[in-house]
Amino acid sequence: NFTVIIPDLPGSGTSAYNPNLRSTEDFAEIINLVLQKENIDRCFLLGHSMGGYIALAFAEKYPECVLGLGLIHSTAYEDSAEKKENRQRSIQLMEKYGGYYFLKSIIPNLFSETFAAAHPEVIKQLLEKGKAFETKALQQYYSMMMRRKDKTDVLRNSTAPVLFIIGEQDTAVPVHDVLQQVALPQTIFIRILPNAVHMGFLEEPEKVNEAIGQFIAL
């Protein structure tokens, strides 16, 4: 029903790693270049997890380009001190054992036990894709996320509607943290996925697609 552009961020898919990118704002500029290349002036911008952090940075710099902002298992809060320490340890772990070793340890935990037991092939496929990541790209992502600043003002100042898709079982982006943010934008759309952890678009894809469709149709 819609034209969908899904860019490979630098360091992902077939996009080369760029050592000069250090912040969510740097990656937001990449999104801006993609939109310029596609001759798109305004769009609905949806970001999952780290993609949400980049979407917020884009919306802060280019609010006039955003018809609607979607945070899917993502948050406007900056990392807590504890989470920053965990990210730093993860970077060190990757340095010692490699990025793929790290991905093998975290990817299964992004899904509910029920989903993982019923769909082991999905996790296996993600792990296989994980082999393509360069360790330095994953370290770059974690460093970028660790340094990002609070973006709740972006939500507070947004004149565009904001979609929140939340996994009820998500420990990476807990539901109570996101619910503290939903009162900030002028117009919101919320969908809580009771059976999802952090990968709702794979765990409950029909509900995610339905929520996105209804959001765009607002």
PDB file of all heavy atoms in Angstrom, residues 23-42:
ATOM      1  N   SER A  23      28.118   9.764  15.469  1.00  0.00           N
ATOM      2  CA  SER A  23      26.932  10.102  16.252  1.00  0.00           C
ATOM      3  C   SER A  23      25.658   9.733  15.513  1.00  0.00           C
ATOM      4  O   SER A  23      25.669   9.472  14.305  1.00  0.00           O
ATOM      5  CB  SER A  23      26.934  11.603  16.563  1.00  0.00           C
ATOM      6  OG  SER A  23      26.779  12.342  15.360  1.00  0.00           O
ATOM      7  N   THR A  24      24.545   9.753  16.249  1.00  0.00           N
ATOM      8  CA  THR A  24      23.249   9.529  15.598  1.00  0.00           C
ATOM      9  C   THR A  24      22.973  10.634  14.582  1.00  0.00           C
ATOM     10  O   THR A  24      22.329  10.395  13.568  1.00  0.00           O
ATOM     11  CB  THR A  24      22.113   9.493  16.639  1.00  0.00           C
ATOM     12  OG1 THR A  24      22.164  10.676  17.457  1.00  0.00           O
ATOM     13  CG2 THR A  24      22.214   8.259  17.537  1.00  0.00           C
ATOM     14  N   GLU A  25      23.492  11.828  14.849  1.00  0.00           N
ATOM     15  CA  GLU A  25      23.320  12.932  13.909  1.00  0.00           C
ATOM     16  C   GLU A  25      24.064  12.655  12.599  1.00  0.00           C
ATOM     17  O   GLU A  25      23.570  12.999  11.519  1.00  0.00           O
ATOM     18  CB  GLU A  25      23.813  14.239  14.533  1.00  0.00           C
ATOM     19  CG  GLU A  25      22.924  14.801  15.631  1.00  0.00           C
ATOM     20  CD  GLU A  25      23.023  14.043  16.954  1.00  0.00           C
ATOM     21  OE1 GLU A  25      24.002  13.281  17.148  1.00  0.00           O
ATOM     22  OE2 GLU A  25      22.120  14.196  17.790  1.00  0.00           O
ATOM     23  N   ASP A  26      25.243  12.032  12.701  1.00  0.00           N
ATOM     24  CA  ASP A  26      25.991  11.665  11.493  1.00  0.00           C
ATOM     25  C   ASP A  26      25.197  10.676  10.649  1.00  0.00           C
ATOM     26  O   ASP A  26      25.128  10.798   9.423  1.00  0.00           O
ATOM     27  CB  ASP A  26      27.341  11.050  11.868  1.00  0.00           C
ATOM     28  CG  ASP A  26      28.315  12.056  12.461  1.00  0.00           C
ATOM     29  OD1 ASP A  26      28.105  13.266  12.269  1.00  0.00           O
ATOM     30  OD2 ASP A  26      29.280  11.628  13.124  1.00  0.00           O
ATOM     31  N   PHE A  27      24.601   9.695  11.301  1.00  0.00           N
ATOM     32  CA  PHE A  27      23.818   8.696  10.571  1.00  0.00           C
ATOM     33  C   PHE A  27      22.525   9.308  10.030  1.00  0.00           C
ATOM     34  O   PHE A  27      22.036   8.900   8.978  1.00  0.00           O
ATOM     35  CB  PHE A  27      23.519   7.497  11.470  1.00  0.00           C
ATOM     36  CG  PHE A  27      24.639   6.501  11.525  1.00  0.00           C
ATOM     37  CD1 PHE A  27      25.701   6.683  12.398  1.00  0.00           C
ATOM     38  CD2 PHE A  27      24.653   5.395  10.695  1.00  0.00           C
ATOM     39  CE1 PHE A  27      26.750   5.772  12.450  1.00  0.00           C
ATOM     40  CE2 PHE A  27      25.698   4.472  10.732  1.00  0.00           C
ATOM     41  CZ  PHE A  27      26.756   4.677  11.617  1.00  0.00           C
ATOM     42  N   ALA A  28      21.979  10.293  10.747  1.00  0.00           N
ATOM     43  CA  ALA A  28      20.787  10.979  10.253  1.00  0.00           C
ATOM     44  C   ALA A  28      21.090  11.698   8.941  1.00  0.00           C
ATOM     45  O   ALA A  28      20.219  11.797   8.065  1.00  0.00           O
ATOM     46  CB  ALA A  28      20.274  11.967  11.298  1.00  0.00           C
ATOM     47  N   GLU A  29      22.307  12.192   8.794  1.00  0.00           N
ATOM     48  CA  GLU A  29      22.696  12.835   7.544  1.00  0.00           C
ATOM     49  C   GLU A  29      22.701  11.835   6.389  1.00  0.00           C
ATOM     50  O   GLU A  29      22.413  12.191   5.247  1.00  0.00           O
ATOM     51  CB  GLU A  29      24.068  13.496   7.689  1.00  0.00           C
ATOM     52  CG  GLU A  29      24.043  14.835   8.399  1.00  0.00           C
ATOM     53  CD  GLU A  29      23.100  15.822   7.733  1.00  0.00           C
ATOM     54  OE1 GLU A  29      23.110  15.938   6.496  1.00  0.00           O
ATOM     55  OE2 GLU A  29      22.326  16.475   8.464  1.00  0.00           O
ATOM     56  N   ILE A  30      23.047  10.590   6.686  1.00  0.00           N
ATOM     57  CA  ILE A  30      22.997   9.546   5.660  1.00  0.00           C
ATOM     58  C   ILE A  30      21.557   9.358   5.184  1.00  0.00           C
ATOM     59  O   ILE A  30      21.289   9.242   3.980  1.00  0.00           O
ATOM     60  CB  ILE A  30      23.562   8.218   6.202  1.00  0.00           C
ATOM     61  CG1 ILE A  30      25.022   8.393   6.647  1.00  0.00           C
ATOM     62  CG2 ILE A  30      23.427   7.110   5.175  1.00  0.00           C
ATOM     63  CD1 ILE A  30      25.976   8.755   5.530  1.00  0.00           C
ATOM     64  N   ILE A  31      20.615   9.333   6.129  1.00  0.00           N
ATOM     65  CA  ILE A  31      19.195   9.214   5.767  1.00  0.00           C
ATOM     66  C   ILE A  31      18.772  10.402   4.914  1.00  0.00           C
ATOM     67  O   ILE A  31      18.039  10.256   3.923  1.00  0.00           O
ATOM     68  CB  ILE A  31      18.319   9.118   7.031  1.00  0.00           C
ATOM     69  CG1 ILE A  31      18.707   7.887   7.875  1.00  0.00           C
ATOM     70  CG2 ILE A  31      16.838   9.064   6.661  1.00  0.00           C
ATOM     71  CD1 ILE A  31      18.566   6.581   7.147  1.00  0.00           C
ATOM     72  N   ASN A  32      19.235  11.586   5.286  1.00  0.00           N
ATOM     73  CA  ASN A  32      18.897  12.776   4.511  1.00  0.00           C
ATOM     74  C   ASN A  32      19.415  12.667   3.081  1.00  0.00           C
ATOM     75  O   ASN A  32      18.712  13.023   2.122  1.00  0.00           O
ATOM     76  CB  ASN A  32      19.484  14.014   5.192  1.00  0.00           C
ATOM     77  CG  ASN A  32      19.087  15.307   4.505  1.00  0.00           C
ATOM     78  OD1 ASN A  32      17.919  15.527   4.211  1.00  0.00           O
ATOM     79  ND2 ASN A  32      20.058  16.165   4.244  1.00  0.00           N
ATOM     80  N   LEU A  33      20.607  12.154   2.906  1.00  0.00           N
ATOM     81  CA  LEU A  33      21.177  11.987   1.560  1.00  0.00           C
ATOM     82  C   LEU A  33      20.382  10.976   0.744  1.00  0.00           C
ATOM     83  O   LEU A  33      20.182  11.159  -0.459  1.00  0.00           O
ATOM     84  CB  LEU A  33      22.641  11.546   1.672  1.00  0.00           C
ATOM     85  CG  LEU A  33      23.621  12.603   2.182  1.00  0.00           C
ATOM     86  CD1 LEU A  33      24.990  11.983   2.423  1.00  0.00           C
ATOM     87  CD2 LEU A  33      23.734  13.761   1.201  1.00  0.00           C
ATOM     88  N   VAL A  34      19.927   9.910   1.398  1.00  0.00           N
ATOM     89  CA  VAL A  34      19.104   8.912   0.705  1.00  0.00           C
ATOM     90  C   VAL A  34      17.812   9.557   0.206  1.00  0.00           C
ATOM     91  O   VAL A  34      17.403   9.364  -0.946  1.00  0.00           O
ATOM     92  CB  VAL A  34      18.789   7.719   1.639  1.00  0.00           C
ATOM     93  CG1 VAL A  34      17.739   6.805   1.009  1.00  0.00           C
ATOM     94  CG2 VAL A  34      20.052   6.923   1.946  1.00  0.00           C
ATOM     95  N   LEU A  35      17.168  10.333   1.076  1.00  0.00           N
ATOM     96  CA  LEU A  35      15.910  10.987   0.686  1.00  0.00           C
ATOM     97  C   LEU A  35      16.133  11.980  -0.453  1.00  0.00           C
ATOM     98  O   LEU A  35      15.316  12.072  -1.377  1.00  0.00           O
ATOM     99  CB  LEU A  35      15.293  11.692   1.897  1.00  0.00           C
ATOM    100  CG  LEU A  35      14.774  10.769   3.003  1.00  0.00           C
ATOM    101  CD1 LEU A  35      14.345  11.576   4.217  1.00  0.00           C
ATOM    102  CD2 LEU A  35      13.624   9.903   2.510  1.00  0.00           C
ATOM    103  N   GLN A  36      17.231  12.712  -0.382  1.00  0.00           N
ATOM    104  CA  GLN A  36      17.544  13.642  -1.473  1.00  0.00           C
ATOM    105  C   GLN A  36      17.743  12.891  -2.783  1.00  0.00           C
ATOM    106  O   GLN A  36      17.248  13.317  -3.834  1.00  0.00           O
ATOM    107  CB  GLN A  36      18.800  14.449  -1.136  1.00  0.00           C
ATOM    108  CG  GLN A  36      18.603  15.491  -0.048  1.00  0.00           C
ATOM    109  CD  GLN A  36      19.875  16.270   0.231  1.00  0.00           C
ATOM    110  OE1 GLN A  36      20.855  16.175  -0.494  1.00  0.00           O
ATOM    111  NE2 GLN A  36      19.863  17.041   1.300  1.00  0.00           N
ATOM    112  N   LYS A  37      18.469  11.782  -2.712  1.00  0.00           N
ATOM    113  CA  LYS A  37      18.722  10.983  -3.909  1.00  0.00           C
ATOM    114  C   LYS A  37      17.430  10.463  -4.506  1.00  0.00           C
ATOM    115  O   LYS A  37      17.286  10.347  -5.735  1.00  0.00           O
ATOM    116  CB  LYS A  37      19.650   9.816  -3.551  1.00  0.00           C
ATOM    117  CG  LYS A  37      20.064   8.939  -4.720  1.00  0.00           C
ATOM    118  CD  LYS A  37      21.018   9.645  -5.643  1.00  0.00           C
ATOM    119  CE  LYS A  37      21.532   8.701  -6.715  1.00  0.00           C
ATOM    120  NZ  LYS A  37      22.448   9.388  -7.660  1.00  0.00           N
ATOM    121  N   GLU A  38      16.471  10.134  -3.643  1.00  0.00           N
ATOM    122  CA  GLU A  38      15.177   9.606  -4.093  1.00  0.00           C
ATOM    123  C   GLU A  38      14.161  10.712  -4.388  1.00  0.00           C
ATOM    124  O   GLU A  38      13.010  10.408  -4.698  1.00  0.00           O
ATOM    125  CB  GLU A  38      14.611   8.657  -3.028  1.00  0.00           C
ATOM    126  CG  GLU A  38      15.460   7.421  -2.759  1.00  0.00           C
ATOM    127  CD  GLU A  38      15.522   6.482  -3.939  1.00  0.00           C
ATOM    128  OE1 GLU A  38      14.541   6.446  -4.720  1.00  0.00           O
ATOM    129  OE2 GLU A  38      16.540   5.784  -4.092  1.00  0.00           O
ATOM    130  N   ASN A  39      14.596  11.976  -4.270  1.00  0.00           N
ATOM    131  CA  ASN A  39      13.710  13.126  -4.516  1.00  0.00           C
ATOM    132  C   ASN A  39      12.468  13.096  -3.628  1.00  0.00           C
ATOM    133  O   ASN A  39      11.348  13.364  -4.073  1.00  0.00           O
ATOM    134  CB  ASN A  39      13.292  13.191  -5.994  1.00  0.00           C
ATOM    135  CG  ASN A  39      14.483  13.453  -6.910  1.00  0.00           C
ATOM    136  OD1 ASN A  39      15.292  14.334  -6.641  1.00  0.00           O
ATOM    137  ND2 ASN A  39      14.584  12.673  -7.968  1.00  0.00           N
ATOM    138  N   ILE A  40      12.673  12.768  -2.368  1.00  0.00           N
ATOM    139  CA  ILE A  40      11.584  12.721  -1.389  1.00  0.00           C
ATOM    140  C   ILE A  40      11.745  13.892  -0.424  1.00  0.00           C
ATOM    141  O   ILE A  40      12.766  14.009   0.260  1.00  0.00           O
ATOM    142  CB  ILE A  40      11.590  11.389  -0.618  1.00  0.00           C
ATOM    143  CG1 ILE A  40      11.295  10.234  -1.580  1.00  0.00           C
ATOM    144  CG2 ILE A  40      10.578  11.411   0.526  1.00  0.00           C
ATOM    145  CD1 ILE A  40      11.442   8.866  -0.966  1.00  0.00           C
ATOM    146  N   ASP A  41      10.736  14.759  -0.380  1.00  0.00           N
ATOM    147  CA  ASP A  41      10.797  15.936   0.488  1.00  0.00           C
ATOM    148  C   ASP A  41      10.255  15.661   1.881  1.00  0.00           C
ATOM    149  O   ASP A  41      10.738  16.239   2.858  1.00  0.00           O
ATOM    150  CB  ASP A  41      10.003  17.095  -0.130  1.00  0.00           C
ATOM    151  CG  ASP A  41      10.593  17.551  -1.462  1.00  0.00           C
ATOM    152  OD1 ASP A  41      11.827  17.563  -1.581  1.00  0.00           O
ATOM    153  OD2 ASP A  41       9.807  17.887  -2.372  1.00  0.00           O
ATOM    154  N   ARG A  42       9.222  14.787   1.958  1.00  0.00           N
ATOM    155  CA  ARG A  42       8.596  14.491   3.252  1.00  0.00           C
ATOM    156  C   ARG A  42       8.254  13.007   3.305  1.00  0.00           C
ATOM    157  O   ARG A  42       7.906  12.398   2.281  1.00  0.00           O
ATOM    158  CB  ARG A  42       7.325  15.334   3.446  1.00  0.00           C
ATOM    159  CG  ARG A  42       7.549  16.831   3.325  1.00  0.00           C
ATOM    160  CD  ARG A  42       6.262  17.590   3.579  1.00  0.00           C
ATOM    161  NE  ARG A  42       5.910  17.582   4.997  1.00  0.00           N
ATOM    162  CZ  ARG A  42       4.712  17.865   5.487  1.00  0.00           C
ATOM    163  NH1 ARG A  42       3.720  18.141   4.642  1.00  0.00           N
ATOM    164  NH2 ARG A  42       4.474  17.856   6.783  1.00  0.00           N
TER     165      ARG A  42
END
